[in-house]
Amino acid sequence: MKRREQSQTEQLRQALAEREAQLQEARARLAALEDSTSLQVGRALTSAAKKRGRSLVRLPRDLYRLWRRSGDTNHTERRRTTEPVRSFEAERQESRLLSGLAGGGADLLVAATVLGPAVQAAVDPYIRAVPLRPHDAQIVMDGSDVDLVLVSASAASPGSLWAHVGDPAAADRTRALRWVLESAAARGVPAVLLDDAVAPPALRELGFDRIYQGDAGVPLHLFNPVAAELAEGPEAVFVRDTPETPVPGILTELGAGAVDADAAHLAEALRAANVAVVPATGPRSAPLRRRALACGTRVVTHGPAEVADTEGLAVTVPRLRAAGPAPAEQRSMLRQIFLEEATPVRLAGILDGLEFPPGTPGPELPLRGRAVAVLADPAGEAEADELAESLLSSLLRPAEVVVPDTAARLPGLQRLRAEGVTVRTARFSAPDTPEELTRGTDRGAVRVGGLGPDRWAVLAERATSPWAHLWTGPLGPGRLADLVCAAECSDADAVGASDGAPGEQAAAPGSRGFFDRPTGAQYVFVSSVVPELARTALLRRGWDPAEWNRRGTRLLALGPDHGPGTGSGAEDSARGAADASTGAVG
């Protein structure tokens, strides 16, 4: 009820500010009209016409005075001063600027956070965090205009700043957090608790608007298979739920390594292994399993050490270790996590349905970084139909499509509009001539889909999404999702298939480097690619893709798309999914 009343109050406040602004504008116009020379001359002539005696005699003198005054442009003293209009959204942005929170607003949600280290690292790229500490929570909360209060149960773990918050023994920390939640409720700001770890039961009773059972999802910027082939380590790794968990003897005999679930190098250990052995039960079982799959590692689950089936481990681990995940299987596992379990997807689901204060962009902001504009130049109706069919069947639907204005009325684009896809048009100054095409080829410029960098730049100028896909032909249903997933995993500036440059030829064993990758490698940084997905701001510059690496861009090779259900890739994917789902031992 408080939140609804707060929202109504802000709406009335905004309406009153608008009415006051209109009244001030009317007063200013009236003052300017009364001070105008034309009105003064009209009044003098009217008075002289009504009283032809003395007024008619004084008319030349009055007109002379008006003429003298008309040259004076300093009318500020005679005009009433007006104050600028201040809407509620403008006041929020001003207060954020003064408090150093200019990074929030249209791009990121601003959240006051009480989080464990793992959750904080997971959500950092997707929200503008304002960390709260017990001794300054009230000061920071008073001086910050936030959209959300986000708390995790893992923040109450022993050794943290908020250790045992919610426990009667930690009354000062509990009191500080309760004040934060009451202040948020008074402002109409929602408060969310991530119940991701064991915490005092009283923590859940402090007055959260939503309690989510689970963690913040899989942070793909931390757990991913980028450069996994370059990682050094044992081919199998045992992930311990706690440091006291014993390693099964059979794994020690097989030479498997061990890593704690809370270790800072967990992602590196998972990338270096072909097989990860994780607990079969417990609150960490599912998160560890998803993180291992995101790193491109096959998973085997096991029960407690005293009941574990050592014979099953002795058979399953070597079998999976001998044959690492195939590229199609690796991509399939990562794509599923990207679409369903990644941190921005989890955050959007957690925030969905919450009532935010006026001026808050919305809970869809965590997914804003995945918005893609498809840049295309269909040559005719057939290519436009292929474009529509590819995009409408894609697992990740693009936010917009940009085409030349000459293709705007093609049936395929009309179909995209009917399906709710935004279609924008751009105008080329002049078509490419045969001489320009030949000159561009001689110069060595990379042309994608028959268009040069300057043409892609024209289309990119009309796009509003952070990413742009250069459409050159039909796509598989998962290709666009794979490209955006690779960019989210690596923070690369462009993703595409390796073009087989000399720097990417296979090197001798033992001398591997970042650029010594065979053609077709995926999730590896390279010196040049044939771009398929790139930052829109990069395409707007009109640079030749062959020069991107020299200008400081990060290029990631994903490997070719063989399409769905073709060749051995589909069989590898199906077999890998079966191994991942049935690899339970003990």
Side-chain angles (χ1 to χ4, degrees):
M1 201 62 183
K2 289 183 180 179
R3 211 166 288 152
R4 186 173 302 170
E5 292 174 357
Q6 181 80 6
S7 177
Q8 293 176 354
T9 301
E10 297 301 343
Q11 291 177 4
L12 293 175
R13 177 183 175 185
Q14 184 176 2
L16 180 61
E18 293 175 355
R19 299 296 184 274
E20 185 67 23
Q22 294 175 1
L23 180 59
Q24 291 178 2
E25 183 179 0
R27 288 175 176 173
R29 290 183 178 181
L30 179 59
L33 181 61
E34 290 178 348
D35 291 340
S36 65
T37 304
S38 300
L39 182 62
Q40 298 294 336
V41 171
R43 285 179 176 177
L45 294 176
T46 302
S47 178
K50 289 182 178 180
K51 299 178 181 180
R52 299 182 180 180
R54 183 176 299 179
S55 298
L56 189 59
V57 175
R58 295 169 55 184
L59 179 61
R61 183 186 63 183
D62 294 340
L63 293 178
Y64 175 74
R65 289 178 177 175
L66 292 174
W67 175 76
R68 289 283 304 272
R69 291 173 57 188
S70 64
D72 183 12
T73 58
N74 186 17
H75 304 299
T76 57
E77 296 181 358
R78 298 191 301 270
R79 295 182 180 179
R80 300 180 181 180
T81 59
T82 59
E83 297 181 357
V85 181
R86 294 173 56 82
S87 65
F88 179 64
E89 289 80 2
E91 290 182 355
R92 294 195 73 194
Q93 294 301 324
E94 179 180 329
S95 64
R96 286 181 173 179
L97 182 62
L98 294 177
S99 61
L101 295 179
D107 298 326
L108 296 174
L109 285 173
V110 179
T113 58
V114 179
L115 303 175
V119 180
Q120 185 70 60
V123 303
D124 270 343
Y126 311 110
I127 65 173
R128 175 72 164 87
V130 182
L132 301 179
R133 293 168 293 185
H135 64 278
D136 64 357
Q138 295 188 14
I139 299 175
V140 174
M141 194 68 178
D142 282 336
S144 304
D145 183 16
V146 299
D147 304 317
L148 173 71
V149 175
L150 187 61
V151 181
S152 71
S154 56
S157 301
S160 66
L161 292 175
W162 291 90
H164 308 291
V165 63
D167 193 294
D172 54 340
R173 298 166 189 168
T174 304
R175 182 167 54 251
L177 184 56
R178 187 187 300 275
W179 184 93
V180 169
L181 298 179
E182 291 176 353
S183 175
R187 302 185 198 179
V189 175
V192 177
L193 172 65
L194 298 180
D195 196 1
D196 62 333
V198 178
L203 178 63
R204 303 171 183 84
E205 307 298 331
L206 293 182
F208 292 95
D209 297 281
R210 177 169 294 172
I211 299 178
Y212 179 81
Q213 300 293 332
D215 59 1
V218 181
L220 290 180
H221 63 285
L222 300 176
F223 295 89
N224 55 66
V226 174
E229 297 180 9
L230 302 178
E232 299 292 342
E235 295 179 348
V237 63
F238 176 75
V239 184
R240 295 181 294 202
D241 193 9
T242 63
E244 296 78 18
T245 303
V247 181
I250 186 62
L251 294 181
T252 304
E253 296 176 6
L254 293 174
V259 62
D260 294 338
D262 295 327
H265 62 284
L266 175 62
E268 287 77 6
L270 293 176
R271 272 191 286 267
N274 288 342
V275 181
V277 183
V278 303
T281 59
R284 293 189 175 185
S285 177
L288 287 174
R289 175 189 174 89
R290 289 192 292 264
R291 281 161 170 74
L293 292 176
C295 291
T297 307
R298 290 177 173 178
V299 178
V300 176
T301 58
H302 74 97
E306 59 272 12
V307 297
D309 183 2
T310 56
E311 294 183 2
L313 287 174
V315 173
T316 306
V317 172
R319 176 173 60 85
L320 297 180
R321 186 177 59 180
E329 176 191 346
Q330 184 183 56
R331 191 179 300 180
S332 176
M333 293 187 299
L334 188 59
R335 182 194 307 147
Q336 181 179 2
I337 293 174
F338 169 77
L339 295 173
E340 300 176 4
E341 302 290 346
T343 297
V345 178
R346 180 70 57 83
L347 287 177
I350 292 173
L351 303 180
D352 186 33
L354 291 176
E355 296 182 8
F356 286 87
T360 302
E364 69 279 358
L365 279 185
L367 292 173
R368 170 63 181 166
R370 294 184 173 185
V372 180
V374 174
L375 313 183
D377 183 19
E381 293 187 2
E383 287 193 6
D385 292 338
E386 289 180 351
L387 173 65
E389 187 65 30
S390 296
L391 299 186
L392 293 179
S393 61
S394 176
L395 297 177
L396 181 67
R397 180 168 290 195
E400 56 187 343
V401 177
V402 184
V403 296
D405 56 352
T406 54
R409 297 186 178 277
L410 293 176
L413 297 174
Q414 297 290 347
R415 179 186 173 189
L416 288 174
R417 289 192 182 95
E419 293 290 339
V421 179
T422 301
V423 178
R424 307 182 190 277
T425 59
R427 181 184 296 273
F428 291 149
S429 58
D432 280 339
T433 61
E435 293 78 8
E436 290 176 342
L437 293 174
T438 303
R439 186 166 59 251
T441 304
D442 296 340
R443 194 169 56 241
V446 176
R447 305 182 66 85
V448 182
L451 296 182
D454 52 343
R455 298 284 176 162
W456 289 119
V458 173
L459 296 177
E461 284 291 343
R462 292 284 294 140
T464 61
S465 302
W467 294 99
H469 169 64
L470 309 180
W471 188 82
T472 58
L475 298 173
R479 184 61 177 179
L480 192 57
D482 291 342
L483 292 170
V484 181
C485 176
E488 186 173 312
C489 288
S490 61
D491 195 29
D493 299 307
V495 182
S498 175
D499 62 356
E504 276 108 43
Q505 300 302 319
S511 60
R512 296 183 304 172
F514 256 30
F515 306 123
D516 301 327
R517 311 309 309 158
T519 301
Q522 58 179 352
Y523 304 116
V524 176
F525 287 107
V526 293
S527 58
S528 61
V529 295
V530 178
E532 296 181 59
L533 183 78
R535 297 188 188 274
T536 306
L538 177 61
L539 290 175
R540 288 172 183 160
R541 295 180 179 271
W543 293 339
D544 182 0
E547 302 175 357
W548 284 1
N549 185 55
R550 302 178 186 177
R551 297 180 181 269
T553 57
R554 293 161 56 88
L555 309 178
L556 190 81
L558 181 59
D561 183 14
H562 298 291
T566 60
S568 60
E571 299 175 0
D572 292 339
S573 179
R575 184 171 60 252
D579 289 338
S581 61
T582 61
V585 180

